[in-house]
Amino acid sequence: MTDGDVRIVPANEASWEDLQDVFGTADAGRCQCQWFKVRGWLWQASTPQGRVAAFREQTRCGEPDAKDTSGLIAYLDDQPVGWLAVEPRTAYPKLRNQRVPWLGRDEDKDDDGVWAVTCLVVRKGYRGRGLTYPLARAAVDFARERGARSLEAYPMLAEAGKQITWGEAHVGVRQVFEEAGFTEVSHPTLRRVVMRIDFADHRQGSDQGEGPTPGRV
């Protein structure tokens, strides 16, 4: 899968129906990308209807003039096939109490200049084609162009003899972000790392003629 094969747009430039086609009715469809948004235990502190309503408001799907949105949608042959959540780190309340982002680091939890990728979803039937790679590269441009100073991700590592399931891999895997230019800044648990790009020190995307710009093939 190359960047030229995929069209990636901000979610507000896509339809709500396209996004729901990506999510389907399994885990992603039930969560509606609210895992890091709901402060309590997701399945007890929210309702299915509430998660859908919150997600629709956050993405602003179908509102091309909206000033903000909460992620990117990928298209392959005009079919909606992928989703990536990317916003300022402060937009994810549950991250504040998670161990992974903060262990061993001195970080200001209220720093709006640091953005985060928290979720990747590939539509059933399109998995295993490498779609998360162009999505991660597009997230770099998306965050930088909207004023992010840094962009983080919290991907999984596979332990020897163990596989990462699709449910676990919603945070992405290390190689995807490494190939998008992220570097490891901490390794808080056996199966999770923190990856980061600091834009002041790292030229990406249009500066080098690499990577897709959201909204373009």
Side-chain angles (χ1 to χ4, degrees):
M1 186 67 61
T2 68
D3 293 344
D5 296 324
V6 185
R7 179 171 63 94
I8 298 174
V9 301
N12 64 296
E13 296 180 13
S15 72
W16 176 248
E17 291 74 20
D18 282 356
L19 181 54
Q20 290 303 295
D21 284 345
V22 173
F23 273 56
T25 58
D27 289 347
R30 291 192 293 269
C31 176
Q32 293 289 298
C33 215
Q34 299 305 295
W35 183 262
F36 292 105
K37 295 285 193 177
V38 176
R39 293 182 183 274
W41 176 243
L42 182 69
W43 311 117
Q44 295 178 353
S46 65
T47 65
Q49 296 84 358
R51 292 191 291 273
V52 168
F55 191 35
R56 190 163 192 169
E57 181 177 357
Q58 292 153 13
T59 60
R60 303 194 184 281
C61 283
E63 301 179 33
D65 295 327
K67 293 182 179 179
D68 54 44
T69 186
S70 59
L72 303 171
I73 298 178
Y75 288 83
L76 181 65
D77 298 327
D78 293 325
Q79 291 295 312
V81 294
W83 157 261
L84 179 143
V86 56
E87 288 185 275
R89 193 172 57 186
T90 52
Y92 302 107
K94 192 176 287 184
L95 275 185
R96 296 183 69 90
N97 300 318
Q98 296 278 315
R99 181 185 181 200
V100 167
W102 319 110
L103 189 64
R105 298 201 298 158
D106 183 17
E107 284 284 307
D108 178 2
K109 294 183 179 182
D110 296 315
D111 186 350
D112 289 328
V114 180
W115 284 44
V117 173
T118 57
C119 184
L120 294 100
V121 176
V122 175
R123 186 176 180 176
K124 187 176 181 180
Y126 291 88
R127 295 167 185 170
R129 303 191 190 186
L131 283 163
T132 55
Y133 288 86
L135 273 166
R137 288 190 288 268
V140 172
D141 287 335
F142 181 80
R144 184 187 56 222
E145 290 168 2
R146 284 155 181 78
R149 189 181 67 257
S150 302
L151 178 62
E152 292 188 346
Y154 315 105
M156 295 286 298
L157 288 173
E159 294 181 73
K162 294 186 178 181
Q163 293 183 334
I164 297 176
T165 68
W166 273 103
E168 291 179 309
H170 73 277
V171 292
V173 295
R174 188 185 193 281
Q175 184 177 347
V176 166
F177 294 102
E178 187 173 52
E179 294 200 10
F182 292 65
T183 57
E184 182 180 319
V185 295
S186 70
H187 193 158
T189 72
L190 282 175
R191 302 191 71 191
R192 296 287 292 279
V193 293
V194 176
M195 308 286 288
R196 180 163 169 148
I197 284 179
D198 293 306
F199 294 128
D201 303 320
H202 195 100
R203 298 179 67 212
Q204 284 286 330
S206 58
D207 292 339
Q208 295 182 348
E210 299 176 355
T213 299
R216 299 181 184 176
V217 176

